[in-house]
Amino acid sequence: AGALRCEVDNTPGTGDMPGRLVFLTTADGGETLTEALRITSTQDVRVNDGGGLIVGSTSAQLTISDGDGTTNLIPEVQVLGTTKADASLLIAGFNTTDDATVAPALNFLKSGHGTIGSNTVVASGEILGEITFFGADGTDFESPAARIQAVVDTTPGAGDMPGRLSFSVTADGGETLGEAMRIANTKLVTMFGSFAQGADATDRVTVKGIYMTPANVAVAVPSITDPDIARVQVDVSSAFSIQPAVGDAVIAIPQEALPTNARLQGAFVYQTDGVEICFGSEGGNVTGANKNFKFLIIDLT
């Protein structure tokens, strides 16, 4: 039914006898002992593949879903409890150093190889890890409410691992997750869904994307004779793959002081691939000059 073995764990010698403890059990319906757990000479505790580590229960091992609400998933490590204390995990570090080299960490790793320990590059779009939140729905434990995923954002390579974060939620009346927000490798933040305005939540604006040009855009501020105005067209799509559309809100953000007497009056989309900035003179003529800008574009359609 079970056995405990004491084995030599590495090459012994005079005054040197490294050992390990191996725990074996027999599965229901058989009579063959198989390893379930071992404690090595370095005091590592290793649980055999296919087994599990259940903390807090001698009988229960819960089944959730793969995040889709239907595909069964039985995690091999589970912490089960009836109070907050015995259903909690703590990772704590104690050190006088105040930087990330000794900070407690929760880390995820994904390789593109099917053998443990093998290193094969992952692919663009591959999910590196996820945190999913489930709730009991009265029938099972498989309905997800929200999820955070880390995804490879474009083609990776040696020393190059572009990533994005995806935030998903489940709408009322279902158990299917839908992406609500993402942060791309360019730090572009895109939001999907409706945001209520006002106490009655009857007036809504749909925000599909918020785009900020990641680098400066050189804008030729024109010469203006007071009290005239002038408009400058700027193409942001070719440089930053941003496609503003008519109806988007545009905010032009100067990165340096404007020419003397120049006043920024506003910005808007002039076609499907660029924005137009309106300048005015304020108390005197304006001498034209090149100035750096960034653009915040909000998709309101």
Side-chain angles (χ1 to χ4, degrees):
L4 171 61
R5 292 177 181 169
C6 297
E7 301 176 348
V8 178
D9 198 35
N10 211 324
T11 303
T14 303
D16 177 22
M17 189 57 61
R20 65 173 176 257
L21 291 175
V22 181
F23 298 80
L24 305 97
T25 59
T26 300
D28 187 23
E31 57 181 7
T32 302
L33 289 167
T34 57
E35 181 179 339
L37 179 146
R38 69 171 54 189
I39 303 174
T40 69
S41 59
T42 57
Q43 298 186 354
D44 291 332
V45 178
R46 299 179 180 271
V47 180
N48 193 29
D49 182 33
L53 175 62
I54 313 298
V55 179
S57 175
T58 58
S59 58
Q61 187 176 29
L62 302 186
T63 300
I64 56 176
S65 76
D66 194 29
D68 59 4
T70 57
T71 305
N72 288 347
L73 176 67
I74 304 176
E76 291 191 2
V77 178
Q78 300 187 14
V79 178
L80 310 176
T82 57
T83 67
K84 190 166 187 176
D86 59 12
S88 300
L89 288 174
L90 173 65
I91 304 175
F94 303 89
N95 196 288
T96 58
T97 304
D98 60 0
D99 59 26
T101 59
V102 294
L106 178 64
N107 300 298
F108 298 83
L109 170 67
K110 176 67 170 64
S111 172
H113 200 285
T115 301
I116 293 176
S118 297
N119 190 333
T120 297
V121 65
V122 290
S124 178
E126 192 159 343
I127 299 172
L128 300 180
E130 60 185 27
I131 302 173
T132 307
F133 302 85
F134 294 88
D137 62 4
T139 300
D140 54 38
F141 307 118
E142 300 191 9
S143 297
R147 180 178 64 196
I148 304 172
Q149 286 183 329
V151 185
V152 182
D153 203 25
T154 58
T155 303
D160 177 24
M161 191 56 60
R164 73 172 181 264
L165 285 176
S166 173
F167 299 82
S168 300
V169 294
T170 299
D172 186 22
E175 58 181 5
T176 301
L177 290 163
E179 189 173 26
M181 185 180 77
R182 69 171 57 178
I183 305 174
N185 75 88
T186 59
K187 300 181 181 178
L188 175 70
V189 179
T190 304
M191 292 185 291
F192 310 90
S194 297
F195 292 78
Q197 290 182 323
D200 59 0
T202 58
D203 184 20
R204 293 177 178 270
V205 56
T206 300
V207 179
K208 295 173 60 178
I210 299 178
Y211 312 94
M212 171 72 84
T213 52
N216 291 334
V217 179
V219 175
V221 179
S223 297
I224 306 173
T225 302
D226 186 55
D228 203 357
I229 62 172
R231 293 177 175 178
V232 177
Q233 294 179 345
V234 180
D235 183 1
V236 298
S237 64
S238 59
F240 303 111
S241 300
I242 297 174
Q243 298 290 333
V246 175
D248 292 351
V250 180
I251 302 174
I253 307 171
Q255 301 300 295
E256 54 187 319
L258 296 178
T260 303
N261 299 326
R263 181 177 72 252
L264 178 62
Q265 293 188 307
F268 56 92
V269 177
Y270 76 90
Q271 57 184 37
T272 58
D273 60 355
V275 298
E276 188 166 78
I277 313 176
C278 184
F279 295 98
S281 58
E282 186 174 44
N285 296 338
V286 176
T287 300
N290 288 330
K291 297 295 179 180
N292 287 318
F293 278 74
K294 285 188 178 180
F295 294 92
L296 179 66
I297 301 170
I298 305 174
D299 185 350
L300 299 174
T301 57

